[in-house]
Amino acid sequence: MTDITLTTTSAPKTGPFAILLAASRHPLLSHAKVRLALLILIPILVLTILAPVLPIQKPLETNLRAMMQFPSIEHVFGTDKMGRDIFSRTLAGVQISLLVGFSVASIALTFGMVLGTLAGFYGGWLDRAIMTVVDIFLAFPSLLLAIGLVSVMGTGIVPVIFAISLADVPRFIRLQRSQVLSLRSRAFIDAARTVDASQYWLMTRHIVPNTIAPMLVAASIAAANAILVEASLSFLGLGIMPPQPSLGNIVRDGQTYLEQAWWISTLPGVVILLIAIGLHFLSDGVRELLDPRSH
Amino acid sequence: MAEYTAKKLVQMLITVLGVITLVFFTLRLIPGDAASAMAGDTLSGEALQALREQMGLDEPLVNQYLGFLRDLVTVDLGETITTRIPIAELLLRALPITLSIALATIVLSILISIPLGTLAAFMAHKGRNWLDNGLTGAAMIIDLMPSFWMALVLLLIFSLGLGWFPASGQLNWSDPWALVLRLALPVIVLSLSQVATLARITRTAVLEVLNEDYVRTARSMGWSELRVLFRHALKNAALPIATVVGLSFGNLLGGTVIVEFIFTIPGVGNLLISGINSRDYQLVQTLIVFYALLFVVINFATDLIYKTLDPRVQF
């Protein structure tokens, strides 16, 4: 399907600088959309990682002498009713968002690849069984499925990840299955069969490698989507519960004070939007690089 | 057509049965059981046992399952556990509100996106791409925006800032204008994301048709642009538009939960949230099944419309 791989060409010199230099020349990084994505995502990532050592108030620390303060140098995103620093809380929320996005994408990718490949490759009763279950899951609007699942499993990060993944896995199974189905009848598979390639060999060496690129693109979209769904669940009071900050519940907390302190709800929302835009450009860029037709 | 309808109908019924079964068994996965989860620490011993009996949890699983099916088939939805109000009554009160919002959203977004998408396609066809590019960019941003955040920002600007729309208050069905104002912002929030998708689909579909030979033929015969548009372009664009309206209905249902929560509108979404918060599993399971049924039926209708618009579609 495509010959472009994600591994960098081996750098002649070793050492961190040479590797960085070689990496910066990689086609992935010279693509405009990918660069824009990294320009948005890397600062957010760095700030999130550095949050514990930055000279800002701790996310849970209250300060009754600085309640509902307008954004300033000391409190970049302002403070809330209890004098908590919104910027610091937002960074803590981003940590949760990224964890949820990454976990959901990995889970959906893993289960989608395995079950989708099996269903598409073997067909027959296995395919029918898997696809029947997939169709049942797809009968629920995804946000409502997630709401229903957290209502049973309770709130907190693990149920949230599980609920969003369960809504995404069927979509990945369907995508992988349709890819496998179209590959299965291609000439190179027939060629491999004529030289007595085993089923396992066919699947792992010929079929799965050719399905990875679109699945990775789908995974980065799923990550962005999972971040939005987690935020929505937490906003509705069904996801991550306070005092543990998440982007959704910070916005929820601020809703009551929208008139007096608009920054509590609006600024963390801007960060959600930025992350979503970053992931969108990343997936778009990777897709364009991997798909020669869209050049 | 009859055979197609029958096949789709059977497929739909299998899915419906699957949905009901899935909801039923998921609720039985609650650690302990639904009764003890509901009661929390408030009930114990005999009181808990009484609640179990009231919920039918003391019966064998198979009987519970068959009872659940029977209740759904006979539309005996039972009562809420906590307040003992018939669920059917609550649903009948909330449903018109949610459906009005959903319907108004669909109508408004079609009214905006079809002219907008068509215009973008025509201009792109003539080599002027600014509307097209602007539309693509705006659609992307709207798509990626969390809808609850967009709702709050609009609320902040148009209700709290400019005072154009009321932010809360009773729904007054006898005063249509007040009702329109009250529901305007929620409908606009939901419409924005619908328009983002629909306008792009319209634009692509119309642009595709404009490049067809038969459109060139029509033009060479001296047809006016409007006649080309209505006879060819929009007719062929109707198919993808109908499909996308149908498919995006699920997202729309999810969206209604969020806007009802933000704008305190007593629709099905708020009913669901309150059911979850009071751990009323009877109410929650009924509503989740109801949402799924609504979605499945809409998908079924979309399939039929699709088949009617394009008879070539095979099962």
Side-chain angles (χ1 to χ4, degrees):
Chain A
M1 200 156 115
T2 161
D3 294 330
I4 302 171
T5 52
L6 280 169
T7 50
T8 50
T9 43
S10 58
K13 288 175 200 156
T14 48
F17 184 70
I19 290 171
L20 270 181
L21 194 71
S24 72
R25 290 205 203 97
H26 190 269
L28 194 63
L29 286 177
S30 55
H31 193 277
K33 282 186 178 167
V34 177
R35 283 198 169 171
L36 183 63
L38 295 180
L39 208 65
I40 297 173
L41 292 177
I42 287 180
I44 294 179
L45 201 62
V46 169
L47 279 173
T48 309
I49 293 168
L50 291 183
V53 295
L54 288 179
I56 48 176
Q57 208 173 302
K58 295 280 164 277
L60 297 180
E61 194 181 318
T62 56
N63 179 359
L64 296 180
R65 271 173 297 173
M67 294 186 315
M68 311 259 265
Q69 281 194 351
F70 190 78
S72 63
I73 302 211
E74 197 183 344
H75 303 285
V76 187
F77 281 10
T79 62
D80 68 4
K81 181 82 179 148
M82 289 184 263
R84 292 178 299 190
D85 184 71
I86 301 297
F87 184 63
S88 158
R89 289 179 68 72
T90 301
L91 290 183
V94 171
Q95 217 173 348
I96 303 275
S97 296
L98 294 178
L99 179 65
V100 170
F102 184 76
S103 312
V104 170
S106 318
I107 294 172
L109 198 60
T110 312
F111 283 88
M113 290 283 268
V114 173
L115 294 172
T117 307
L118 291 177
F121 191 77
Y122 287 110
W125 66 268
L126 184 67
D127 184 32
R128 273 199 298 279
I130 292 177
M131 293 320 284
T132 306
V133 177
V134 164
D135 280 342
I136 292 168
F137 272 93
L138 290 179
F140 296 91
S142 56
L143 180 63
L144 286 163
L145 181 57
I147 289 179
L149 287 170
V150 291
S151 80
V152 172
M153 294 184 297
T155 54
I157 189 147
V158 176
V160 166
I161 290 175
F162 187 76
I164 305 175
S165 303
L166 212 55
D168 271 351
V169 168
R171 280 160 235 277
F172 276 73
I173 294 178
R174 205 155 73 158
L175 174 63
Q176 177 70 1
R177 174 177 175 271
S178 70
Q179 291 199 88
V180 172
L181 280 181
S182 79
L183 283 170
R184 207 173 57 164
S185 52
R186 295 270 287 273
F188 71 95
I189 299 291
D190 288 338
R193 276 191 216 276
T194 57
V195 293
D196 271 345
S198 72
Q199 302 261 346
Y200 180 76
W201 179 272
L202 280 177
M203 255 194 287
T204 54
R205 293 300 170 99
H206 290 298
I207 293 190
V208 169
N210 279 308
T211 60
I212 287 175
M215 289 297 272
L216 280 179
V217 173
S220 65
I221 297 171
N225 188 49
I227 288 173
L228 293 180
V229 175
E230 181 274 314
S232 304
L233 288 176
S234 300
F235 177 77
L236 292 171
L238 307 171
I240 314 290
M241 298 306 271
Q244 160 95 296
S246 104
L247 294 177
N249 73 33
I250 304 171
V251 175
R252 176 193 169 95
D253 281 348
Q255 197 194 348
T256 329
Y257 313 106
L258 207 54
E259 226 168 343
Q260 306 96 306
W262 54 266
W263 50 89
I264 305 176
S265 282
T266 49
L267 297 180
V270 175
V271 177
I272 306 179
L273 181 59
L274 282 176
I275 297 175
I277 291 177
L279 286 172
H280 172 85
F281 275 122
L282 191 66
S283 67
D284 233 25
V286 172
R287 185 175 54 80
E288 282 174 15
L289 278 171
L290 293 173
D291 182 3
R293 277 166 304 179
S294 65
H295 278 306
Chain B
M1 188 70 197
E3 194 195 354
Y4 179 82
T5 312
K7 271 181 179 169
K8 282 281 168 196
L9 197 65
V10 170
Q11 210 177 34
M12 181 178 83
L13 288 178
I14 293 172
T15 311
V16 166
L17 191 64
V19 163
I20 294 169
T21 313
L22 182 69
V23 170
F24 177 83
F25 284 103
T26 307
L27 278 167
R28 267 65 195 175
L29 289 180
I30 299 174
D33 63 12
S36 54
M38 254 180 66
D41 299 330
T42 55
L43 295 180
S44 60
E46 277 176 28
L48 189 61
Q49 193 53 40
L51 183 63
R52 259 189 206 122
E53 271 165 35
Q54 187 201 330
M55 294 170 75
L57 291 174
D58 54 335
E59 299 205 21
L61 203 57
V62 179
N63 288 3
Q64 289 183 40
Y65 178 63
L66 292 177
F68 185 48
L69 279 181
R70 189 192 53 229
D71 289 350
L72 284 173
V73 171
T74 55
V75 204
D76 176 9
L77 304 182
E79 296 173 332
T80 59
I81 300 281
T82 34
T83 45
R84 303 207 131 261
I85 303 169
I87 291 177
E89 196 185 308
L90 287 174
L91 196 56
L92 278 182
R93 221 183 297 151
L95 191 60
I97 301 171
T98 302
L99 284 185
S100 316
I101 295 177
L103 210 63
T105 302
I106 291 175
V107 172
L108 183 69
S109 47
I110 287 179
L111 285 181
I112 297 174
S113 47
I114 290 186
L116 198 63
T118 310
L119 193 64
F122 260 83
M123 291 181 65
H125 189 63
K126 297 255 148 65
R128 274 171 295 175
N129 282 318
W130 63 267
L131 182 64
D132 201 18
N133 293 339
L135 203 63
T136 313
M140 186 203 82
I141 303 271
I142 290 172
D143 253 357
L144 296 173
M145 227 180 244
S147 57
F148 63 88
W149 181 73
M150 182 161 54
L152 283 182
V153 171
L154 293 183
L155 184 80
L156 183 64
I157 299 173
F158 294 105
S159 289
L160 304 177
L162 299 169
W164 290 0
F165 307 105
S168 56
Q170 290 261 310
L171 288 184
N172 188 354
W173 292 90
S174 57
D175 182 354
W177 181 240
L179 194 69
V180 166
L181 283 181
R182 176 77 170 83
L183 296 181
L185 270 186
V187 169
I188 290 172
V189 169
L190 292 175
S191 298
L192 277 175
S193 40
Q194 295 283 314
V195 168
T197 321
L198 274 184
R200 265 181 307 172
I201 298 289
T202 311
R203 174 237 167 233
T204 313
V206 172
L207 195 57
E208 222 162 70
V209 177
L210 287 179
N211 290 326
E212 293 281 353
D213 287 341
Y214 58 81
V215 168
R216 199 174 308 129
T217 311
R219 283 210 176 105
S220 66
M221 282 161 48
W223 282 26
S224 71
E225 286 293 304
L226 272 183
R227 193 162 164 207
V228 170
L229 175 69
F230 282 104
R231 274 293 180 80
H232 288 310
L234 281 185
K235 219 171 172 181
N236 284 297
L239 190 64
I241 293 171
T243 316
V244 172
V245 170
L247 287 180
S248 61
F249 193 78
N251 285 335
L252 187 57
L253 284 182
T256 55
V257 177
I258 289 174
V259 296
E260 284 176 12
F261 179 75
I262 294 180
F263 295 99
T264 52
I265 295 164
V268 185
N270 252 332
L271 200 57
L272 177 66
I273 305 272
S274 67
I276 294 174
N277 287 337
S278 58
R279 293 174 174 273
D280 193 327
Y281 290 107
Q282 184 73 33
L283 182 59
V284 173
Q285 73 180 14
T286 309
L287 291 181
I288 294 282
V289 168
F290 177 76
Y291 271 119
L293 288 188
L294 196 60
F295 189 43
V296 170
V297 170
I298 297 281
N299 280 349
F300 172 67
T302 310
D303 279 338
L304 292 191
I305 292 172
Y306 202 97
K307 176 77 176 169
T308 315
L309 290 176
D310 186 353
R312 288 168 303 180
V313 172
Q314 293 295 312
F315 176 64

